[in-house]
Amino acid sequence: MTNRKTVSGSRYIQAFYSEVVALHGSAKNLPASCTSKLSPGLCFFPQNVVPVIRTPIFLLNAAYDSWQIKNILAPDIADPKGAWKKCKLDIKNCSPSQLQTMQEYRLQFLRALTHASTSTSHGLLIDSCYAHCQIVTQDTWLAASSPVLGKKTIGKAVGDWYHDRTPFQKIDCAYPCNPTCKNRVYNSNEQQD
């Protein structure tokens, strides 16, 4: 997740997390190594907290995370005319300029991961799918038709890293390069996650 401006230029997600901290009193539970340098709301962003984590961690995310596209890049509040509505429902409906904006979002996301991917104790799998929460269902975790990166399914990559069989730090090429992706398609009446 990146602290990026929306398509309208606002810092919506930064303000959102600052409000979360205020509402829940979260500052006391966030790492002091982060809150001593930054405002507590910024300590929800992995690029600000992962570099100080000493515990091995596996970062798994879609470079085109559907939740992030809908809630960070193009939230409804930043798109009052609905220019992004069809794109957010199905990445195949995105215009060339919207895809370019999403490619720029991906690059910012990958730059934010720079510190996270340098430790040998960290695992990393960033695929080019338009998806969110790829670990919660069998069809994206370990099924024969699961997304594959580096010739491994998500479950196999995490398992090999966790059990110290092989390190795994792979970043997929840009959309639409990975034919194994299970890109999320939303129904226009569906509550978007």
Side-chain angles (χ1 to χ4, degrees):
M1 172 172 54
T2 60
N3 182 13
R4 181 196 156 108
K5 289 182 180 179
T6 66
V7 292
S8 68
S10 67
R11 291 252 180 221
Y12 173 76
I13 199 67
Q14 181 176 332
F16 175 82
Y17 281 115
S18 292
E19 291 173 16
V20 167
V21 167
L23 178 66
H24 297 287
S26 305
K28 65 184 178 287
N29 298 314
L30 294 168
S33 56
C34 182
T35 58
S36 65
K37 298 174 190 166
L38 300 170
S39 71
L42 292 174
C43 296
F44 274 90
F45 295 97
Q47 63 268 31
N48 297 330
V49 75
V50 169
V52 298
I53 294 175
R54 289 178 173 59
T55 306
I57 186 172
F58 194 98
L59 302 171
L60 166 64
N61 214 84
Y64 308 91
D65 185 293
S66 58
W67 185 91
Q68 292 181 43
I69 299 298
K70 293 182 291 185
N71 294 285
I72 297 174
L73 180 62
D76 291 345
I77 196 164
D79 183 31
K81 294 184 179 180
W84 280 78
K85 183 174 178 148
K86 288 182 181 178
C87 176
K88 292 187 298 182
L89 294 173
D90 184 346
I91 196 168
K92 290 179 184 171
N93 293 332
C94 297
S95 70
S97 67
Q98 289 169 327
L99 284 174
Q100 180 59 40
T101 299
M102 290 169 70
Q103 299 296 8
E104 292 165 10
Y105 182 85
R106 172 187 177 266
L107 291 174
Q108 283 187 342
F109 172 67
L110 295 178
R111 278 192 293 275
L113 291 175
T114 301
H115 296 291
S117 62
T118 58
S119 171
T120 56
S121 69
H122 292 173
L124 180 72
L125 188 153
I126 308 299
D127 62 31
S128 63
C129 305
Y130 183 68
H132 182 67
C133 291
Q134 296 179 88
I135 63 170
V136 297
T137 63
Q138 178 64 20
D139 67 324
T140 53
W141 179 252
L142 194 60
S145 62
S146 295
V148 174
L149 184 57
K151 299 182 181 179
K152 292 185 182 186
T153 63
I154 294 168
K156 177 79 170 129
V158 172
D160 284 352
W161 168 83
Y162 182 81
H163 293 289
D164 290 323
R165 291 187 288 255
T166 56
F168 194 90
Q169 291 190 346
K170 302 255 186 249
I171 297 174
D172 211 351
C173 47
Y175 174 86
C177 71
N178 189 336
T180 67
C181 278
K182 296 198 177 290
N183 294 317
R184 182 75 156 91
V185 177
Y186 293 89
N187 178 314
S188 62
N189 298 324
E190 182 178 359
Q191 175 70 29
Q192 294 184 19
D193 55 4

Short mmCIF file of all heavy atoms in Angstrom, two decimals, residues 121-179:
data_model
loop_
_atom_site.label_atom_id
_atom_site.label_comp_id
_atom_site.label_asym_id
_atom_site.label_seq_id
_atom_site.Cartn_x
_atom_site.Cartn_y
_atom_site.Cartn_z
N SER A 121 16.03 -12.18 4.98
CA SER A 121 15.01 -12.86 5.78
C SER A 121 13.59 -12.53 5.32
O SER A 121 12.64 -13.13 5.78
CB SER A 121 15.15 -12.49 7.27
OG SER A 121 14.79 -11.14 7.49
N HIS A 122 13.48 -11.60 4.41
CA HIS A 122 12.16 -11.22 3.89
C HIS A 122 11.85 -11.99 2.61
O HIS A 122 12.69 -12.15 1.75
CB HIS A 122 12.10 -9.72 3.59
CG HIS A 122 12.17 -8.86 4.80
ND1 HIS A 122 12.27 -7.50 4.73
CD2 HIS A 122 12.15 -9.15 6.12
CE1 HIS A 122 12.31 -6.99 5.95
NE2 HIS A 122 12.24 -7.99 6.81
N GLY A 123 10.60 -12.45 2.52
CA GLY A 123 10.11 -13.03 1.29
C GLY A 123 9.28 -11.98 0.58
O GLY A 123 8.76 -11.05 1.19
N LEU A 124 9.14 -12.14 -0.71
CA LEU A 124 8.43 -11.14 -1.51
C LEU A 124 7.80 -11.79 -2.72
O LEU A 124 8.48 -12.48 -3.48
CB LEU A 124 9.43 -10.06 -1.93
CG LEU A 124 8.92 -8.90 -2.77
CD1 LEU A 124 8.07 -7.97 -1.91
CD2 LEU A 124 10.10 -8.12 -3.34
N LEU A 125 6.52 -11.59 -2.90
CA LEU A 125 5.81 -12.05 -4.10
C LEU A 125 4.84 -10.94 -4.48
O LEU A 125 3.86 -10.69 -3.79
CB LEU A 125 5.06 -13.35 -3.86
CG LEU A 125 4.45 -14.00 -5.11
CD1 LEU A 125 4.33 -15.51 -4.90
CD2 LEU A 125 3.12 -13.43 -5.51
N ILE A 126 5.16 -10.25 -5.56
CA ILE A 126 4.31 -9.18 -6.07
C ILE A 126 3.92 -9.60 -7.49
O ILE A 126 4.75 -9.58 -8.40
CB ILE A 126 5.04 -7.81 -6.09
CG1 ILE A 126 5.65 -7.49 -4.73
CG2 ILE A 126 4.10 -6.72 -6.59
CD1 ILE A 126 4.67 -7.36 -3.59
N ASP A 127 2.67 -9.98 -7.66
CA ASP A 127 2.23 -10.39 -8.99
C ASP A 127 1.54 -9.24 -9.71
O ASP A 127 1.31 -8.17 -9.13
CB ASP A 127 1.38 -11.66 -8.95
CG ASP A 127 0.09 -11.52 -8.17
OD1 ASP A 127 -0.50 -10.42 -8.12
OD2 ASP A 127 -0.36 -12.53 -7.61
N SER A 128 1.22 -9.44 -10.97
CA SER A 128 0.61 -8.39 -11.77
C SER A 128 -0.90 -8.57 -11.92
O SER A 128 -1.50 -8.10 -12.86
CB SER A 128 1.26 -8.34 -13.16
OG SER A 128 1.04 -9.55 -13.84
N CYS A 129 -1.50 -9.23 -10.94
CA CYS A 129 -2.94 -9.48 -10.98
C CYS A 129 -3.73 -8.27 -10.48
O CYS A 129 -3.24 -7.49 -9.68
CB CYS A 129 -3.27 -10.70 -10.12
SG CYS A 129 -2.34 -12.18 -10.57
N TYR A 130 -4.96 -8.14 -10.96
CA TYR A 130 -5.91 -7.17 -10.42
C TYR A 130 -6.73 -7.96 -9.41
O TYR A 130 -7.73 -8.60 -9.75
CB TYR A 130 -6.79 -6.58 -11.52
CG TYR A 130 -7.73 -5.50 -11.03
CD1 TYR A 130 -7.25 -4.28 -10.59
CD2 TYR A 130 -9.10 -5.71 -11.02
CE1 TYR A 130 -8.11 -3.30 -10.13
CE2 TYR A 130 -9.97 -4.73 -10.56
CZ TYR A 130 -9.46 -3.52 -10.12
OH TYR A 130 -10.31 -2.54 -9.67
N ALA A 131 -6.26 -7.97 -8.17
CA ALA A 131 -6.84 -8.83 -7.14
C ALA A 131 -6.59 -8.22 -5.77
O ALA A 131 -5.87 -7.24 -5.63
CB ALA A 131 -6.20 -10.22 -7.22
N HIS A 132 -7.19 -8.82 -4.77
CA HIS A 132 -7.00 -8.42 -3.38
C HIS A 132 -7.18 -9.67 -2.52
O HIS A 132 -8.03 -10.50 -2.80
CB HIS A 132 -8.01 -7.34 -2.98
CG HIS A 132 -7.85 -6.83 -1.59
ND1 HIS A 132 -6.75 -6.11 -1.19
CD2 HIS A 132 -8.65 -6.93 -0.50
CE1 HIS A 132 -6.88 -5.78 0.08
NE2 HIS A 132 -8.02 -6.28 0.53
N CYS A 133 -6.37 -9.81 -1.49
CA CYS A 133 -6.46 -10.96 -0.57
C CYS A 133 -6.34 -12.29 -1.30
O CYS A 133 -7.23 -13.13 -1.26
CB CYS A 133 -7.76 -10.90 0.24
SG CYS A 133 -7.78 -9.56 1.43
N GLN A 134 -5.22 -12.51 -1.93
CA GLN A 134 -5.02 -13.73 -2.70
C GLN A 134 -4.72 -14.95 -1.84
O GLN A 134 -4.60 -16.05 -2.36
CB GLN A 134 -3.89 -13.52 -3.71
CG GLN A 134 -4.23 -12.45 -4.74
CD GLN A 134 -3.10 -12.25 -5.70
OE1 GLN A 134 -3.04 -12.92 -6.72
NE2 GLN A 134 -2.20 -11.33 -5.38
N ILE A 135 -4.61 -14.78 -0.53
CA ILE A 135 -4.28 -15.93 0.32
C ILE A 135 -5.50 -16.58 0.95
O ILE A 135 -5.38 -17.60 1.59
CB ILE A 135 -3.29 -15.54 1.43
CG1 ILE A 135 -3.89 -14.51 2.39
CG2 ILE A 135 -1.98 -15.05 0.86
CD1 ILE A 135 -3.07 -14.26 3.63
N VAL A 136 -6.68 -16.01 0.76
CA VAL A 136 -7.84 -16.52 1.49
C VAL A 136 -8.65 -17.58 0.76
O VAL A 136 -9.52 -18.20 1.35
CB VAL A 136 -8.78 -15.36 1.93
CG1 VAL A 136 -8.07 -14.44 2.89
CG2 VAL A 136 -9.32 -14.60 0.74
N THR A 137 -8.36 -17.82 -0.50
CA THR A 137 -9.11 -18.85 -1.22
C THR A 137 -8.16 -19.84 -1.88
O THR A 137 -7.06 -19.48 -2.31
CB THR A 137 -10.03 -18.25 -2.32
OG1 THR A 137 -9.23 -17.60 -3.29
CG2 THR A 137 -11.04 -17.28 -1.73
N GLN A 138 -8.59 -21.08 -1.95
CA GLN A 138 -7.79 -22.15 -2.54
C GLN A 138 -7.42 -21.85 -3.99
O GLN A 138 -6.32 -22.15 -4.42
CB GLN A 138 -8.55 -23.48 -2.44
CG GLN A 138 -7.85 -24.67 -3.04
CD GLN A 138 -6.54 -25.02 -2.35
OE1 GLN A 138 -6.30 -24.65 -1.22
NE2 GLN A 138 -5.68 -25.74 -3.05
N ASP A 139 -8.34 -21.25 -4.75
CA ASP A 139 -8.05 -21.05 -6.18
C ASP A 139 -6.94 -20.02 -6.43
O ASP A 139 -6.37 -20.00 -7.51
CB ASP A 139 -9.32 -20.69 -6.96
CG ASP A 139 -9.90 -19.35 -6.59
OD1 ASP A 139 -9.85 -18.96 -5.42
OD2 ASP A 139 -10.44 -18.69 -7.51
N THR A 140 -6.60 -19.21 -5.45
CA THR A 140 -5.46 -18.31 -5.62
C THR A 140 -4.27 -18.70 -4.75
O THR A 140 -3.19 -18.16 -4.93
CB THR A 140 -5.85 -16.84 -5.33
OG1 THR A 140 -6.46 -16.76 -4.05
CG2 THR A 140 -6.76 -16.30 -6.41
N TRP A 141 -4.45 -19.63 -3.86
CA TRP A 141 -3.36 -20.02 -2.95
C TRP A 141 -2.54 -21.18 -3.49
O TRP A 141 -1.34 -21.08 -3.63
CB TRP A 141 -3.95 -20.35 -1.57
CG TRP A 141 -2.95 -20.79 -0.56
CD1 TRP A 141 -2.78 -22.06 -0.08
CD2 TRP A 141 -1.96 -19.99 0.11
NE1 TRP A 141 -1.75 -22.10 0.85
CE2 TRP A 141 -1.23 -20.83 0.98
CE3 TRP A 141 -1.63 -18.65 0.05
CZ2 TRP A 141 -0.20 -20.38 1.78
CZ3 TRP A 141 -0.60 -18.19 0.85
CH2 TRP A 141 0.11 -19.05 1.70
N LEU A 142 -3.18 -22.31 -3.79
CA LEU A 142 -2.40 -23.50 -4.10
C LEU A 142 -3.05 -24.44 -5.13
O LEU A 142 -2.54 -25.51 -5.38
CB LEU A 142 -2.14 -24.27 -2.79
CG LEU A 142 -1.10 -25.36 -2.79
CD1 LEU A 142 0.27 -24.82 -3.17
CD2 LEU A 142 -1.02 -26.05 -1.45
N ALA A 143 -4.15 -24.04 -5.72
CA ALA A 143 -4.81 -24.90 -6.70
C ALA A 143 -3.97 -25.01 -7.97
O ALA A 143 -3.07 -24.20 -8.21
CB ALA A 143 -6.20 -24.35 -7.03
N ALA A 144 -4.28 -26.00 -8.78
CA ALA A 144 -3.55 -26.19 -10.03
C ALA A 144 -3.66 -24.96 -10.94
O ALA A 144 -2.77 -24.69 -11.73
CB ALA A 144 -4.08 -27.42 -10.76
N SER A 145 -4.75 -24.21 -10.79
CA SER A 145 -4.95 -23.02 -11.62
C SER A 145 -4.61 -21.72 -10.89
O SER A 145 -4.98 -20.64 -11.34
CB SER A 145 -6.41 -22.98 -12.10
OG SER A 145 -7.27 -22.87 -10.97
N SER A 146 -3.90 -21.81 -9.77
CA SER A 146 -3.51 -20.62 -9.01
C SER A 146 -2.56 -19.74 -9.81
O SER A 146 -1.82 -20.24 -10.66
CB SER A 146 -2.80 -21.02 -7.71
OG SER A 146 -3.68 -21.70 -6.86
N PRO A 147 -2.52 -18.44 -9.52
CA PRO A 147 -1.51 -17.58 -10.16
C PRO A 147 -0.11 -18.10 -9.86
O PRO A 147 0.16 -18.62 -8.78
CB PRO A 147 -1.73 -16.22 -9.50
CG PRO A 147 -3.14 -16.25 -9.00
CD PRO A 147 -3.40 -17.68 -8.63
N VAL A 148 0.76 -17.98 -10.83
CA VAL A 148 2.13 -18.49 -10.72
C VAL A 148 3.12 -17.35 -10.97
O VAL A 148 2.93 -16.53 -11.85
CB VAL A 148 2.36 -19.63 -11.75
CG1 VAL A 148 3.81 -20.07 -11.77
CG2 VAL A 148 1.44 -20.80 -11.48
N LEU A 149 4.16 -17.34 -10.17
CA LEU A 149 5.26 -16.40 -10.36
C LEU A 149 6.54 -17.17 -10.08
O LEU A 149 6.64 -17.89 -9.08
CB LEU A 149 5.12 -15.21 -9.41
CG LEU A 149 6.14 -14.09 -9.55
CD1 LEU A 149 6.14 -13.51 -10.97
CD2 LEU A 149 5.84 -12.97 -8.57
N GLY A 150 7.50 -17.07 -10.96
CA GLY A 150 8.74 -17.83 -10.78
C GLY A 150 8.49 -19.33 -10.75
O GLY A 150 9.14 -20.05 -9.99
N LYS A 151 7.53 -19.79 -11.51
CA LYS A 151 7.15 -21.21 -11.62
C LYS A 151 6.59 -21.78 -10.32
O LYS A 151 6.59 -22.98 -10.12
CB LYS A 151 8.32 -22.06 -12.11
CG LYS A 151 8.82 -21.66 -13.49
CD LYS A 151 9.93 -22.55 -13.96
CE LYS A 151 10.40 -22.10 -15.33
NZ LYS A 151 11.49 -22.89 -15.85
N LYS A 152 6.11 -20.89 -9.41
CA LYS A 152 5.54 -21.35 -8.15
C LYS A 152 4.20 -20.67 -7.89
O LYS A 152 4.03 -19.48 -8.18
CB LYS A 152 6.48 -21.03 -6.98
CG LYS A 152 7.76 -21.82 -7.00
CD LYS A 152 8.58 -21.54 -5.76
CE LYS A 152 9.90 -22.32 -5.83
NZ LYS A 152 10.65 -22.19 -4.59
N THR A 153 3.28 -21.44 -7.31
CA THR A 153 2.03 -20.84 -6.84
C THR A 153 2.34 -20.03 -5.58
O THR A 153 3.42 -20.16 -4.99
CB THR A 153 0.99 -21.92 -6.48
OG1 THR A 153 1.52 -22.70 -5.39
CG2 THR A 153 0.63 -22.80 -7.66
N ILE A 154 1.41 -19.21 -5.17
CA ILE A 154 1.59 -18.39 -3.97
C ILE A 154 1.88 -19.29 -2.76
O ILE A 154 2.83 -19.07 -2.02
CB ILE A 154 0.36 -17.50 -3.73
CG1 ILE A 154 0.23 -16.47 -4.85
CG2 ILE A 154 0.42 -16.82 -2.37
CD1 ILE A 154 -1.11 -15.74 -4.89
N GLY A 155 1.07 -20.32 -2.58
CA GLY A 155 1.24 -21.23 -1.44
C GLY A 155 2.60 -21.91 -1.43
O GLY A 155 3.23 -22.05 -0.39
N LYS A 156 3.06 -22.35 -2.58
CA LYS A 156 4.37 -23.02 -2.69
C LYS A 156 5.49 -22.03 -2.39
O LYS A 156 6.44 -22.36 -1.65
CB LYS A 156 4.53 -23.62 -4.08
CG LYS A 156 5.87 -24.27 -4.33
CD LYS A 156 5.97 -25.63 -3.71
CE LYS A 156 7.23 -26.34 -4.21
NZ LYS A 156 8.03 -26.86 -3.12
N ALA A 157 5.40 -20.82 -2.90
CA ALA A 157 6.43 -19.80 -2.66
C ALA A 157 6.52 -19.47 -1.17
O ALA A 157 7.62 -19.43 -0.60
CB ALA A 157 6.14 -18.54 -3.47
N VAL A 158 5.37 -19.24 -0.54
CA VAL A 158 5.35 -18.92 0.90
C VAL A 158 5.86 -20.11 1.71
O VAL A 158 6.67 -19.96 2.62
CB VAL A 158 3.94 -18.50 1.36
CG1 VAL A 158 3.88 -18.35 2.88
CG2 VAL A 158 3.51 -17.20 0.69
N GLY A 159 5.41 -21.32 1.36
CA GLY A 159 5.84 -22.51 2.09
C GLY A 159 7.33 -22.74 1.98
O GLY A 159 8.00 -23.05 2.98
N ASP A 160 7.90 -22.60 0.79
CA ASP A 160 9.34 -22.79 0.61
C ASP A 160 10.13 -21.76 1.42
O ASP A 160 11.15 -22.08 2.03
CB ASP A 160 9.72 -22.70 -0.87
CG ASP A 160 9.36 -23.94 -1.65
OD1 ASP A 160 8.95 -24.96 -1.03
OD2 ASP A 160 9.47 -23.91 -2.89
N TRP A 161 9.65 -20.51 1.43
CA TRP A 161 10.31 -19.46 2.21
C TRP A 161 10.18 -19.75 3.71
O TRP A 161 11.17 -19.72 4.44
CB TRP A 161 9.71 -18.09 1.86
CG TRP A 161 10.13 -17.01 2.79
CD1 TRP A 161 11.28 -16.28 2.74
CD2 TRP A 161 9.42 -16.54 3.94
NE1 TRP A 161 11.32 -15.38 3.78
CE2 TRP A 161 10.18 -15.53 4.54
CE3 TRP A 161 8.20 -16.88 4.53
CZ2 TRP A 161 9.78 -14.85 5.68
CZ3 TRP A 161 7.80 -16.21 5.67
CH2 TRP A 161 8.59 -15.21 6.23
N TYR A 162 8.97 -20.06 4.16
CA TYR A 162 8.70 -20.26 5.59
C TYR A 162 9.53 -21.42 6.16
O TYR A 162 10.06 -21.34 7.25
CB TYR A 162 7.21 -20.52 5.81
CG TYR A 162 6.85 -20.70 7.26
CD1 TYR A 162 6.68 -19.61 8.10
CD2 TYR A 162 6.71 -21.99 7.80
CE1 TYR A 162 6.36 -19.77 9.44
CE2 TYR A 162 6.39 -22.16 9.14
CZ TYR A 162 6.23 -21.05 9.95
OH TYR A 162 5.93 -21.22 11.28
N HIS A 163 9.63 -22.49 5.40
CA HIS A 163 10.35 -23.68 5.87
C HIS A 163 11.84 -23.64 5.49
O HIS A 163 12.52 -24.67 5.58
CB HIS A 163 9.69 -24.94 5.35
CG HIS A 163 8.32 -25.16 5.93
ND1 HIS A 163 8.12 -25.51 7.25
CD2 HIS A 163 7.08 -25.03 5.38
CE1 HIS A 163 6.82 -25.62 7.49
NE2 HIS A 163 6.17 -25.32 6.38
N ASP A 164 12.31 -22.48 5.07
CA ASP A 164 13.72 -22.28 4.72
C ASP A 164 14.22 -23.25 3.64
O ASP A 164 15.39 -23.62 3.62
CB ASP A 164 14.64 -22.40 5.96
CG ASP A 164 14.47 -21.23 6.90
OD1 ASP A 164 14.27 -20.09 6.42
OD2 ASP A 164 14.52 -21.45 8.12
N ARG A 165 13.32 -23.65 2.74
CA ARG A 165 13.76 -24.51 1.63
C ARG A 165 14.45 -23.67 0.57
O ARG A 165 15.51 -24.04 0.09
CB ARG A 165 12.57 -25.28 1.05
CG ARG A 165 12.03 -26.34 2.00
CD ARG A 165 10.96 -27.20 1.34
NE ARG A 165 9.71 -26.50 1.14
CZ ARG A 165 8.60 -26.69 1.87
NH1 ARG A 165 8.59 -27.58 2.85
NH2 ARG A 165 7.51 -26.01 1.62
N THR A 166 13.84 -22.57 0.19
CA THR A 166 14.45 -21.65 -0.77
C THR A 166 13.92 -20.24 -0.49
O THR A 166 12.74 -20.07 -0.17
CB THR A 166 14.10 -22.00 -2.24
OG1 THR A 166 12.69 -22.03 -2.41
CG2 THR A 166 14.69 -23.32 -2.67
N PRO A 167 14.78 -19.23 -0.64
CA PRO A 167 14.29 -17.85 -0.50
C PRO A 167 13.38 -17.53 -1.69
O PRO A 167 13.47 -18.17 -2.74
CB PRO A 167 15.56 -17.01 -0.52
CG PRO A 167 16.63 -17.88 -1.07
CD PRO A 167 16.19 -19.30 -0.91
N PHE A 168 12.50 -16.58 -1.49
CA PHE A 168 11.62 -16.19 -2.60
C PHE A 168 11.44 -14.68 -2.57
O PHE A 168 10.87 -14.14 -1.62
CB PHE A 168 10.26 -16.89 -2.52
CG PHE A 168 9.48 -16.79 -3.80
CD1 PHE A 168 9.61 -17.75 -4.78
CD2 PHE A 168 8.63 -15.71 -4.04
CE1 PHE A 168 8.91 -17.65 -5.98
CE2 PHE A 168 7.92 -15.61 -5.22
CZ PHE A 168 8.05 -16.58 -6.21
N GLN A 169 11.94 -14.01 -3.59
CA GLN A 169 11.76 -12.56 -3.75
C GLN A 169 11.58 -12.30 -5.23
O GLN A 169 12.55 -12.13 -5.97
CB GLN A 169 12.96 -11.79 -3.21
CG GLN A 169 13.10 -11.84 -1.71
CD GLN A 169 14.15 -10.87 -1.18
OE1 GLN A 169 14.96 -10.32 -1.92
NE2 GLN A 169 14.12 -10.66 0.11
N LYS A 170 10.31 -12.27 -5.65
CA LYS A 170 10.01 -12.10 -7.07
C LYS A 170 8.97 -11.00 -7.26
O LYS A 170 8.00 -10.91 -6.52
CB LYS A 170 9.46 -13.39 -7.67
CG LYS A 170 10.39 -14.57 -7.51
CD LYS A 170 11.05 -14.91 -8.80
CE LYS A 170 11.85 -16.18 -8.67
NZ LYS A 170 13.25 -16.03 -8.73
N ILE A 171 9.19 -10.21 -8.31
CA ILE A 171 8.24 -9.18 -8.73
C ILE A 171 7.88 -9.48 -10.17
O ILE A 171 8.75 -9.63 -11.03
CB ILE A 171 8.85 -7.77 -8.59
CG1 ILE A 171 9.16 -7.48 -7.12
CG2 ILE A 171 7.91 -6.73 -9.18
CD1 ILE A 171 9.90 -6.19 -6.88
N ASP A 172 6.59 -9.57 -10.42
CA ASP A 172 6.06 -9.88 -11.74
C ASP A 172 6.27 -8.71 -12.70
O ASP A 172 6.48 -7.56 -12.29
CB ASP A 172 4.54 -10.15 -11.60
CG ASP A 172 4.00 -11.14 -12.60
OD1 ASP A 172 4.71 -11.52 -13.54
OD2 ASP A 172 2.82 -11.54 -12.42
N CYS A 173 6.17 -9.01 -13.98
CA CYS A 173 6.21 -7.98 -15.01
C CYS A 173 4.88 -7.19 -14.97
O CYS A 173 3.97 -7.53 -14.24
CB CYS A 173 6.42 -8.62 -16.37
SG CYS A 173 5.35 -10.04 -16.67
N ALA A 174 4.80 -6.15 -15.76
CA ALA A 174 3.62 -5.27 -15.74
C ALA A 174 2.40 -5.93 -16.40
O ALA A 174 2.54 -6.77 -17.28
CB ALA A 174 3.94 -3.97 -16.45
N TYR A 175 1.21 -5.55 -15.91
CA TYR A 175 -0.05 -6.02 -16.49
C TYR A 175 -0.05 -5.70 -17.98
O TYR A 175 0.39 -4.62 -18.37
CB TYR A 175 -1.23 -5.31 -15.81
CG TYR A 175 -2.57 -5.63 -16.44
CD1 TYR A 175 -3.28 -6.75 -16.05
CD2 TYR A 175 -3.10 -4.82 -17.43
CE1 TYR A 175 -4.49 -7.05 -16.63
CE2 TYR A 175 -4.31 -5.13 -18.02
CZ TYR A 175 -5.00 -6.24 -17.62
OH TYR A 175 -6.19 -6.55 -18.21
N PRO A 176 -0.52 -6.61 -18.79
CA PRO A 176 -1.21 -7.88 -18.59
C PRO A 176 -0.34 -9.09 -18.85
O PRO A 176 -0.77 -10.06 -19.44
CB PRO A 176 -2.33 -7.80 -19.62
CG PRO A 176 -1.69 -7.10 -20.80
CD PRO A 176 -0.71 -6.13 -20.19
N CYS A 177 0.88 -9.09 -18.38
CA CYS A 177 1.87 -10.09 -18.78
C CYS A 177 1.64 -11.50 -18.22
O CYS A 177 2.10 -12.46 -18.81
CB CYS A 177 3.25 -9.61 -18.37
SG CYS A 177 3.47 -9.66 -16.58
N ASN A 178 0.96 -11.62 -17.09
CA ASN A 178 0.86 -12.93 -16.44
C ASN A 178 -0.48 -13.60 -16.75
O ASN A 178 -1.50 -13.26 -16.18
CB ASN A 178 1.03 -12.77 -14.93
CG ASN A 178 1.15 -14.10 -14.21
OD1 ASN A 178 0.70 -15.13 -14.69
ND2 ASN A 178 1.75 -14.07 -13.04
N PRO A 179 -0.48 -14.59 -17.64
CA PRO A 179 -1.74 -15.25 -18.02
C PRO A 179 -2.34 -16.11 -16.90
O PRO A 179 -3.49 -16.54 -17.00
CB PRO A 179 -1.34 -16.11 -19.22
CG PRO A 179 0.12 -16.38 -19.02
CD PRO A 179 0.68 -15.16 -18.33
#
